[in-house]
Amino acid sequence: MGSSPAAAAGMGTALEDLPEDALLCILALLAPPDAAAAACACRRLASAASSPSLPPALALRLGVPAPSLPASPTCPAAARRLLRSLHRLSRLLGLWRRLPSTSSSPSAHQSPSLAAFEWAAPRATLAASLLSPSALGVSRSPFVTLSIAGSGDTVAAAGDVPVCVNFVGNNHIVVETAAAGEDEEVEIVSGSPPEEMYAHFANRRSPGAGRRRRGKHGRRGGFMEPEHFVRIADAEPTKARPLQGLWKGICEDSTLEFYLVAYDDIGGVTCRRFNDTRGHNSGYSPVFWTTDTTFLEPPFSEQELDNYSNRYHINGVTSNHASTANRVISRILCIDSSHDVVDPHLSTPLDDVRSVEGRIWLYEDGTFGFGFVGSDSVIDLRHVSSAGCILDT
């Protein structure tokens, strides 16, 4: 006779019967508040949640070598601080876009618009670099370094200047000079009441508070204006969205530029070019967009093949941005963009200057190029990052 479902369920492994290593792996997948809630389920989970072995288990999941971590704490409070710091650093991983600044400082108007947070050796350290296009590829400049102190707390610095890196929600951070006695773990989570967010910024950035911080750090030359960054959520393409992500390409003036391609909720695609200048009108300007993402599949018509083969590919004289003239086209996408926004200097006048037709050529290696009717060039784009790592060329 077959066993009943209840009996079959009773033959399974109970949560309390799992070894401690398995419980640690489960808790390492959870954020600290969720791990604390799971610890209320049973004594075994409560014991694992307060175990000094939990932070090394999380470090193993994050790919941080366990020997590079601070010495394992012996008290639950220190273990919780270390666990919180590891989660905090892991949330910062990736690419971030700087928001426009209203500062009148000349240096603020020359700062790059992109920041990349990556793991750095030899300890559990997160290094942030400012990225900017250059003649030789992607140029990096050191920005902020975050590490874990022996106490398990997070320590951040921009050079020799202590700074705070605070979350405002899940996809917005603020980097600013750390005042004496200021809590570097301040965080506003998503869903905070508006009055709490207002009070947070009013207290930390009121004119009086700003003068106090400027007086303390300005004499040492260590004061920095607060910098706001938002996360670039989809920085790399996927199989379903092959154009998505952050790209780099050489424009007609032979300079390397960054491009961000995003899919919207109605299936359209928008490409914007980053501007490194700062101010109210900075950020990134539209390049092309289309509401129809239906690709043309091979075999292609002679007209489409001639449209591509009769164009030249833009390459910088000293750039390592390799030529894509010999790449094989896998699919073609038609685009329809604003002529005024895209290219006000087309070589051929158009009867209707309000719109212009173009093409996106998707190559077999996963990269793509684009060009417009009235222009005889192709701007080829390549990945800025791969599997979370910045590609310098």
Side-chain angles (χ1 to χ4, degrees):
M1 296 178 61
S3 60
S4 64
M11 297 173 59
T13 302
L15 183 63
E16 293 188 352
D17 295 333
L18 292 175
E20 184 181 13
D21 290 346
L23 296 178
L24 292 175
C25 290
I26 294 173
L27 293 174
L29 297 172
L30 304 177
D34 298 328
C40 300
C42 64
R43 293 180 179 178
R44 290 290 311 283
L45 281 175
S47 176
S50 59
S51 171
S53 300
L54 180 56
L58 175 59
L60 181 62
R61 185 179 73 83
L62 297 176
V64 181
S68 66
L69 291 172
S72 297
T74 57
C75 65
R80 287 194 295 269
R81 287 196 298 269
L82 180 55
L83 184 68
R84 184 173 64 248
S85 294
L86 284 170
H87 272 283
R88 186 180 183 84
L89 296 185
S90 66
R91 290 175 59 192
L92 287 168
L93 284 171
L95 290 164
W96 298 76
R97 178 174 64 88
R98 190 199 303 261
L99 294 180
S101 172
T102 58
S103 172
S104 59
S105 172
S107 61
H109 292 269
Q110 300 173 359
S111 300
S113 300
L114 289 177
F117 286 79
E118 302 173 284
W119 289 119
R123 302 181 59 203
T125 301
L126 201 65
S129 303
L130 296 177
L131 307 180
S132 58
S134 68
L136 298 178
V138 178
S139 175
R140 296 168 177 255
S141 57
F143 180 40
V144 174
T145 301
L146 298 98
S147 58
I148 299 177
S151 62
D153 293 320
T154 304
V155 178
D160 297 330
V161 180
V163 297
C164 294
V165 181
N166 296 320
F167 279 91
V168 183
N170 292 323
N171 299 309
H172 181 181
I173 59 174
V174 182
V175 182
E176 60 184 338
T177 307
E182 187 172 2
D183 183 8
E184 295 190 9
E185 296 294 329
V186 174
E187 178 174 352
I188 301 177
V189 298
S190 297
S192 297
E195 58 270 18
E196 292 184 14
M197 297 184 69
Y198 173 79
H200 171 81
F201 284 105
N203 292 336
R204 292 165 61 85
R205 295 170 182 81
S206 62
R211 284 193 296 270
R212 286 193 297 271
R213 287 200 301 274
R214 188 184 300 271
K216 178 175 289 292
H217 297 280
R219 287 190 295 269
R220 300 198 308 266
F223 177 79
M224 63 178 293
E225 295 288 343
E227 300 282 359
H228 293 254
F229 294 83
V230 292
R231 186 190 305 276
I232 300 178
D234 301 312
E236 297 182 12
T238 63
K239 184 176 181 180
R241 296 182 170 184
L243 304 178
Q244 168 183 284
L246 187 64
W247 304 81
K248 55 189 175 185
I250 299 176
C251 301
E252 293 185 351
D253 58 358
S254 298
T255 61
L256 190 69
E257 298 286 352
F258 291 144
Y259 297 81
L260 182 64
V261 181
Y263 286 70
D264 56 35
D265 295 336
I266 61 174
V269 175
T270 302
C271 175
R272 296 178 181 270
R273 181 172 58 245
F274 278 88
N275 294 327
D276 283 341
T277 56
R278 308 288 299 284
H280 290 291
N281 297 324
S282 65
Y284 42 16
S285 55
V287 177
F288 66 75
W289 68 87
T290 179
T291 56
D292 186 2
T293 56
T294 303
F295 281 90
L296 301 177
E297 303 289 345
F300 306 116
S301 66
E302 290 294 332
Q303 181 180 2
E304 289 292 345
L305 294 176
D306 290 342
N307 182 25
Y308 177 78
S309 60
N310 292 333
R311 297 170 177 266
Y312 71 93
H313 295 256
I314 303 174
N315 292 286
V317 177
T318 60
S319 174
N320 292 329
H321 193 86
S323 173
T324 56
N326 296 324
R327 290 184 178 173
V328 179
I329 300 174
S330 62
R331 291 184 290 174
I332 300 176
L333 179 66
C334 299
I335 55 178
D336 187 9
S337 308
S338 168
H339 167 251
D340 294 335
V341 172
V342 176
D343 192 350
H345 305 293
L346 291 177
S347 57
T348 303
L350 299 176
D351 295 333
D352 183 5
V353 298
R354 293 173 299 175
S355 63
V356 60
E357 185 181 3
R359 293 290 186 272
I360 297 174
W361 297 280
L362 185 64
Y363 304 125
E364 287 188 347
D365 64 357
T367 61
F368 71 92
F370 66 89
F372 300 98
V373 173
S375 172
D376 56 358
S377 63
V378 177
I379 297 179
D380 293 304
L381 302 186
R382 302 178 68 190
H383 305 288
V384 171
S385 64
S386 177
C389 298
I390 303 300
L391 304 177
D392 295 331
T393 58

